[in-house]
Amino acid sequence: GAGVSQTPSNKVTEKGKYVELRCDPISGHTALYWYRQSLGQGPEFLIYFQGTGAADDSGLPNDRFFAVRPEGSVSTLKIQRTERGDSAVYLCASSLAGVYNSPLHFGNGTRLTVT
Amino acid sequence: DQQVKQNSPSLSVQEGRISILNCDYTNSMFDYFLWYKKYPAEGPTFLISISSIKDKNEDGRFTVFLNKSAKHLSLHIVPSQPGDSAVYFCAAIRASNTGKLIFGQGTTLQVKP
């Protein structure tokens, strides 16, 4: 079946604007994760959903960042009042269950550039 | 505070030889470790994992070794192939944070034909 799909693949926005990044997980995967990868670094955890609820949002850097997964499938990461430091590749992943029982399947990411 | 460290940014090996990628961690609460491979413009792909109750796990050409006392793990690729050229990330997790993988900075492996 299809893998994790992320749209858009690239997003350029001006400082101060609002952006939404979308993630379509693999069908049937209950767990969904958002990570952020800056140049030369490994992926950095943002938030983890189990079903519709955020099981761990400790990685969200501040209240400008918010994510939802209203029906337990598609998720949207929302960033308000974007700053140049938000520029990064935003990765979404899904898994059948938690990390211990099934590996994370990552999408190709959305490259966000804030000018 | 970098809890998972990959101190070698890059590694170059000849095709057919062994590639050894290293990873160190500081948090003794980590109990599960994974390796991911990443090609340019693609998301990371799961390679192999190991539980802290084991010291070795093997899958084809890939073997992961865990030394808990040294807080060190390594990934061995034998024999290395040009298609293995990619960025390799190690990652760790602990039972109380079941969704939160902590990644290292990555090591770029180049396998020369």
Side-chain angles (χ1 to χ4, degrees):
Chain A
V4 176
S5 175
Q6 291 188 246
T7 53
S9 55
N10 281 283
K11 176 71 177 177
V12 181
T13 190
E14 291 180 350
K15 178 176 176 291
K17 298 289 188 183
Y18 168 83
V19 296
E20 289 189 352
L21 312 179
R22 176 187 168 104
C23 174
D24 280 271
I26 293 172
S27 178
H29 281 193
T30 59
L32 185 144
Y33 314 77
W34 284 99
Y35 283 79
R36 174 170 75 173
Q37 185 175 15
S38 300
L39 195 63
Q41 301 297 315
E44 176 190 11
F45 172 82
L46 295 177
I47 187 169
Y48 156 54
F49 288 90
Q50 187 60 254
T52 60
D56 184 348
D57 65 357
S58 63
L60 295 177
N62 51 59
D63 61 6
R64 295 188 297 106
F65 288 74
F66 189 71
V68 295
R69 194 185 186 200
E71 297 179 358
S73 178
V74 171
S75 176
T76 305
L77 179 64
K78 308 181 181 191
I79 310 174
Q80 298 177 324
R81 305 183 303 281
T82 52
E83 299 177 357
R84 292 194 180 89
D86 298 335
S87 296
V89 175
Y90 288 80
L91 294 163
C92 176
S94 69
S95 66
L96 271 173
V99 173
Y100 288 88
N101 301 314
S102 57
L104 272 63
H105 297 265
F106 282 88
N108 290 338
T110 294
R111 180 175 296 279
L112 175 66
T113 303
V114 181
T115 62
Chain B
D1 178 27
Q2 190 73 31
Q3 297 186 68
V4 179
K5 298 181 183 180
Q6 294 176 255
N7 292 317
S8 297
S10 63
L11 174 68
S12 182
V13 300
Q14 207 65 35
E15 180 180 6
R17 299 292 188 101
I18 184 171
S19 295
I20 300 176
L21 296 101
N22 293 304
C23 179
D24 296 295
Y25 61 95
T26 58
N27 192 336
S28 58
M29 298 299 291
F30 288 142
D31 58 0
Y32 194 67
F33 304 88
L34 307 91
W35 284 93
Y36 279 81
K37 177 169 78 171
K38 185 182 183 302
Y39 293 117
E42 295 184 9
T45 303
F46 171 75
L47 262 181
I48 192 168
S49 61
I50 188 167
S51 166
S52 61
I53 62 173
K54 296 185 176 182
D55 55 18
K56 177 183 174 181
N57 189 26
E58 191 172 352
D59 184 1
R61 295 186 299 114
F62 302 92
T63 303
V64 56
F65 295 92
L66 176 62
N67 183 334
K68 282 189 295 182
S69 61
K71 294 190 180 68
H72 177 83
L73 64 155
S74 61
L75 174 68
H76 292 211
I77 307 173
V78 183
S80 301
Q81 299 173 354
D84 295 331
S85 298
V87 179
Y88 288 79
F89 293 99
C90 67
I93 195 167
R94 62 183 196 182
S96 62
N97 285 327
T98 54
K100 189 174 181 177
L101 278 177
I102 307 297
F103 283 86
Q105 311 97 305
T107 297
T108 301
L109 173 66
Q110 182 185 26
V111 180
K112 297 180 179 178

